[in-house]
Amino acid sequence: MTEKDSGIKEVDLLGKEHREKMTPDQLRKSYIDHMKRIGASQIPSASLLPENDPSTLFTGSGMQPMVPYLLGEKHPIGNELTDIQKCLRTVDIEEVGDMSHLTFFEMMGRWEFRANENEYKKKQIDAIWDWQIDELGMDPNRLYISVFKGSEELDIERDTETIRIWSEKFKSVGVEPIVEEEPYQYGTSRGGRIFLYGEKENWWSRAGSPIDMPVGEPGGPDNEMFYDLEPNGDSLDHPASDSGRFLEIGNNVFMCYKKENTGFVKMTNPNIDYGSGLERVATALSGDKDIYNTALFLNAKQKLAELSGKEYTDDLKSFRIILDHVRAAAFLINDGAEPANSDAGYITRRLLRRAIRAGRKIGIQGSFVEDLAEVYIDEATAYEDLIANKKKVMEIINKEEKLFHKTLQQGEIEIQKHLKSKGKVTGADAFYFYETYGFPIELTEELLAENGCRIEEKESYAEAARKHAEMSRTASAGKFKGGLADQSAETTALHTAAHLLLAGLRQVLGEHVLQKGSNITAERLRFDFNHDEKLTPEQLSEVEKFVNDAIASKAVVSFSEMSKMEAKESGVSASFWDKYPDIVKVYTIRDGEGKVWSREVCGGPHVENTGCLGKFSIVKEQSSSAGVRRIKAVLSLL
């Protein structure tokens, strides 16, 4: 071995040790820096509370904020982007406690819109291989790939190009790229490296399957990457076997088909969507199946052990619930989902209270969540807004924790009263204590045990919970969950009117007024804004007149693209500056005499001329939350 070779080897060994101990921010920076080197522009994470997606309370995937651009809208920064997107999935709340489930997670993404069809797959796979294998030092012998096998029924061809590219990658490091096809009776026993699956496993579209894709929308084969966490596992395993042996660490989506009435047509300029869970990559680097043993949770875990006097292995489930839920709550509160009894705030409250209950199980009687949240906030320097809002986030957490302890005390009093009066507690009673006082069934059981009792007719708890859930679903059918309900002409008109409403509020109430949220359907707009006092009838009349005067002026709506800094310095209005990319769209509503009625950063649809809006009427003004007012308004034909 030459001296040079020896030096490289030594550096690589030191590098491997360093990579296994990478802090969360170091891992984030490694990914972003790599993608920037190959030409991608970084964009900030969107909020956990989506503004323009009425289908969900939270941003649940890296792709969600990018859908408009995947469907053809031009992104102001360009065609090649990279980001790390904050995500939250409530479906996994009850699953948290095992070694892999999380509610909050971060998705690393690379996006390319209208790519060169002759090189986009190789460029994408090269980028991921170079980062995972060359930079992070993942073992290529533990990497497995799944590829779309094609469909004769749908007349969609096998993704032979992706198979070829991955085969060349494996050969470059001396790994034989044997291709396996369903039903995989040999699994990994024949040395299979690339596995072929149908559309259920390896196809992406917004509708899920190719046959359900709407006409005119793009979709295509995806290419998943798996890391083998048990190299000596069952030889019949394969990546989609759900054995727990293989961890999916990334997915390349090649949107190269468009659905037409006649079938699937190849796109001349396809899209790329790469997504990879930051926590999953950290797990692969650690070689440990337990995601909570990664660097992302290391310092928080040590802090929790210090606060509780227990070790992680003493109560794995409780530790994991606390570690996940406190992390999620800190990010949720920072993005505006303060603890509440409904909508997004309800989830924040639920997460915090579940964490506090788990804390009691490991012996913590006093407040602790604020201290643990501080660890996560201090580590998240990649999220400047979270660092800047640290004091506020921790104050809210502290207040909520104290409130819940008071709730627990009240619940104990009510249960004691009930026992004295009725002599027993049924499952239905236990659910009443939970639904009314927030008193969890586990604590009810604990309290009854101290009194020599137990819950009777326990099955009635599940029945009461089912009835409550059904009532909640009925009550919330069609309920607002953020942003625009659609892009119909009516919704677009009300969205444009919302710009004028904000401008009118700022003129009547003052420049301090900013948008705090909105929900716009074809029937009405709902607009939240900061203001400490109820509006007087005179103020509402002035705002209404401002909007209608703007409509009567038949002002033209136009937009221009500029840097965020330029927009700020020129006095453009925006309520969420930290959420916007470096290049923004500025919409101006200006009449024929040159009067500017509104000038605001936005990305949604607008009418071309205010003259088509009709008459604007405010139908209700009320409190939304502390320091936030809400206006509901409609448009009607003149």
Side-chain angles (χ1 to χ4, degrees):
M1 180 178 292
T2 67
E3 183 177 348
K4 180 179 179 182
D5 289 336
S6 175
I8 291 173
K9 183 177 181 182
E10 181 181 359
V11 170
D12 185 59
L13 287 172
L14 290 173
K16 182 177 185 298
E17 181 181 353
H18 169 70
R19 284 188 291 267
E20 290 176 350
K21 296 178 180 179
M22 290 176 87
T23 67
D25 264 1
Q26 286 172 336
L27 185 55
R28 294 182 188 107
K29 187 175 187 302
S30 168
Y31 174 76
I32 292 295
D33 286 352
H34 180 80
M35 293 304 162
K36 287 166 108 175
R37 280 195 296 272
I38 65 170
S41 298
Q42 183 183 1
I43 58 173
S45 171
S47 172
L48 283 169
L49 309 181
E51 271 296 304
N52 294 307
D53 186 351
S55 65
T56 179
L57 274 177
F58 302 109
T59 300
S61 69
M63 176 180 284
Q64 193 172 325
M66 308 303 291
V67 166
Y69 311 108
L70 294 170
L71 296 178
E73 185 176 330
K74 181 184 175 184
H75 196 284
I77 282 184
N79 286 346
E80 191 173 342
L81 310 172
T82 187
D83 68 348
I84 299 181
Q85 174 62 47
K86 299 171 291 186
C87 301
L88 191 117
R89 291 181 184 170
T90 58
V91 69
D92 289 334
I93 288 179
E94 296 300 331
E95 300 298 325
V96 171
D98 62 16
M99 67 174 63
S100 62
H101 278 92
L102 301 169
T103 56
F104 174 85
F105 57 97
E106 297 173 74
M107 285 295 292
M108 300 177 286
R110 177 183 175 268
W111 318 88
E112 193 168 350
F113 313 117
R114 296 170 287 284
N116 185 319
E117 65 174 332
N118 296 319
E119 59 183 37
Y120 73 111
K121 289 184 179 180
K122 185 176 188 309
K123 181 178 179 181
Q124 175 62 23
I125 293 170
D126 282 350
I128 301 310
W129 176 276
D130 292 347
W131 182 60
Q132 291 180 346
I133 306 301
D134 296 342
E135 187 164 329
L136 294 184
M138 287 188 186
D139 183 355
N141 289 288
R142 297 171 72 170
L143 187 65
Y144 290 79
I145 304 300
S146 68
V147 181
F148 182 57
K149 71 175 184 177
S151 171
E152 290 186 11
E153 179 185 357
L154 299 172
D155 193 27
I156 303 175
E157 62 190 35
R158 176 172 296 192
D159 193 358
T160 55
E161 184 182 2
T162 296
I163 297 171
R164 175 184 59 77
I165 296 169
W166 277 111
S167 295
E168 292 172 356
K169 288 296 181 188
F170 281 120
K171 287 178 181 178
S172 72
V173 291
V175 178
E176 184 60 32
I178 295 174
V179 178
E180 295 277 10
E181 190 157 2
E182 291 181 291
Y184 312 117
Q185 63 267 35
Y186 302 110
T188 59
S189 60
R190 290 201 310 128
R193 185 62 53 177
I194 299 172
F195 288 78
L196 306 185
Y197 298 96
E199 56 266 25
K200 181 180 178 182
E201 300 290 343
N202 281 93
W203 180 274
W204 182 90
S205 76
R206 288 214 295 170
S209 70
I211 198 167
D212 294 326
M213 282 174 58
V215 171
E217 285 203 2
D222 65 359
N223 158 219
E224 297 175 342
M225 293 148 279
F226 297 83
Y227 201 72
D228 189 352
L229 295 174
E230 299 175 17
N232 299 315
D234 190 332
S235 62
L236 294 181
D237 286 339
H238 58 92
S241 62
D242 293 326
S243 66
R245 171 181 167 184
F246 297 98
L247 176 70
E248 183 186 339
I249 57 172
N251 185 12
N252 299 309
V253 177
F254 301 123
M255 279 172 257
C256 54
Y257 286 92
K258 182 174 283 190
K259 180 80 170 286
E260 303 290 1
N261 290 319
T262 55
F264 297 91
V265 177
K266 273 286 192 75
M267 296 169 62
T268 304
N269 297 110
N271 297 322
I272 295 171
D273 158 27
Y274 165 72
S276 176
L278 185 79
E279 296 83 0
R280 288 174 175 249
V281 170
T283 301
L285 289 176
S286 73
D288 188 326
K289 292 180 73 172
D290 189 342
I291 203 166
Y292 294 94
N293 282 334
T294 64
L296 289 156
F297 298 96
L298 177 63
N299 291 331
K301 193 194 305 181
Q302 291 175 347
K303 184 66 174 181
L304 186 54
E306 174 190 319
L307 290 166
S308 65
K310 300 284 179 64
E311 295 299 321
Y312 176 58
T313 51
D314 291 339
D315 190 335
L316 292 170
K317 183 174 182 179
S318 294
F319 262 75
R320 289 164 178 165
I321 287 171
I322 297 167
L323 290 169
D324 170 80
H325 288 7
V326 172
R327 180 177 179 233
F331 277 89
L332 276 169
I333 291 169
N334 184 58
D335 278 2
E338 297 184 16
N341 289 327
S342 61
D343 297 333
Y346 170 76
I347 299 299
T348 306
R349 174 161 285 167
R350 182 181 175 192
L351 290 169
L352 285 172
R353 293 187 170 189
R354 195 165 187 249
I356 295 165
R357 281 156 39 201
R360 286 171 66 110
K361 287 186 177 181
I362 59 174
I364 304 177
Q365 295 301 318
S367 298
F368 72 96
V369 179
E370 180 183 8
D371 292 337
L372 193 60
E374 184 175 22
V375 175
Y376 286 124
I377 296 171
D378 288 345
E379 285 188 340
T381 55
Y383 298 101
E384 295 179 359
D385 58 327
L386 180 58
I387 296 292
N389 293 333
K390 174 181 173 179
K391 182 179 178 182
K392 178 183 177 183
V393 171
M394 291 176 62
E395 285 175 350
I396 292 170
I397 287 174
N398 181 264
K399 180 180 177 182
E400 179 65 16
E401 188 167 17
K402 288 180 178 177
L403 175 64
F404 187 46
H405 283 301
K406 185 176 180 180
T407 297
L408 292 178
Q409 292 173 359
Q410 180 65 29
E412 289 177 359
I413 293 171
E414 294 301 325
I415 291 174
Q416 294 285 10
K417 284 182 182 178
H418 182 92
L419 261 181
K420 188 174 181 180
S421 171
K422 304 291 184 181
K424 68 176 184 178
V425 172
T426 66
D429 294 331
F431 182 77
Y432 170 80
F433 296 138
Y434 171 68
E435 195 270 331
T436 305
Y437 303 108
F439 205 85
I441 188 172
E442 298 91 344
L443 294 186
T444 300
E445 290 177 316
E446 184 181 307
L447 181 61
L448 292 177
E450 292 172 0
N451 287 270
C453 308
R454 60 181 178 84
I455 295 177
E456 299 184 24
E457 305 167 31
K458 193 172 180 179
E459 65 279 1
S460 63
Y461 182 94
E463 178 62 18
R466 185 194 64 77
K467 289 180 179 178
H468 176 77
E470 183 60 36
M471 289 173 63
S472 296
R473 279 193 294 270
T474 302
S476 63
K479 190 178 180 193
F480 157 63
K481 293 185 179 179
L484 307 181
D486 53 54
Q487 293 194 8
S488 65
E490 294 81 5
T491 303
T492 298
L494 279 161
H495 180 216
T496 308
H499 281 268
L500 297 173
L501 171 59
L502 176 58
L505 288 167
R506 286 169 65 85
Q507 176 170 295
V508 173
L509 302 178
E511 295 291 309
H512 68 281
V513 173
L514 295 172
Q515 178 184 339
K516 290 299 179 182
S518 68
N519 168 237
I520 302 172
T521 69
E523 289 77 34
R524 57 97 183 105
L525 73 82
R526 194 179 87 180
F527 191 87
D528 291 354
F529 58 97
N530 60 300
H531 191 61
D532 291 331
E533 299 176 349
K534 178 179 176 63
L535 273 66
T536 66
E538 292 76 18
Q539 288 172 326
L540 289 172
S541 179
E542 284 185 62
V543 172
E544 202 173 67
K545 182 179 185 301
F546 176 93
V547 176
N548 282 314
D549 286 348
I551 293 172
S553 75
K554 297 183 179 179
V556 173
V557 183
S558 62
F559 78 87
S560 59
E561 293 180 355
M562 64 182 68
S563 71
K564 183 161 64 175
M565 183 63 69
E566 181 185 355
K568 275 186 174 182
E569 291 177 350
S570 63
V572 172
S573 173
S575 300
F576 309 102
W577 280 115
D578 58 326
K579 309 301 182 187
Y580 289 114
D582 291 336
I583 303 298
V584 296
K585 281 185 176 179
V586 175
Y587 279 84
T588 301
I589 303 178
R590 189 195 313 266
D591 64 25
E593 297 181 359
K595 179 175 180 176
V596 174
W597 292 92
S598 168
R599 194 161 182 258
E600 187 177 350
V601 174
C602 190
H606 304 77
V607 302
E608 295 181 359
N609 189 295
T610 62
C612 68
L613 295 181
K615 182 182 178 182
F616 177 82
S617 301
I618 295 174
V619 295
K620 193 171 187 179
E621 189 272 344
Q622 64 189 88
S623 172
S624 173
S625 60
V628 178
R629 307 297 299 177
R630 172 172 294 168
I631 280 179
K632 294 182 181 179
V634 296
L635 288 172
S636 56
L637 294 176
L638 292 171

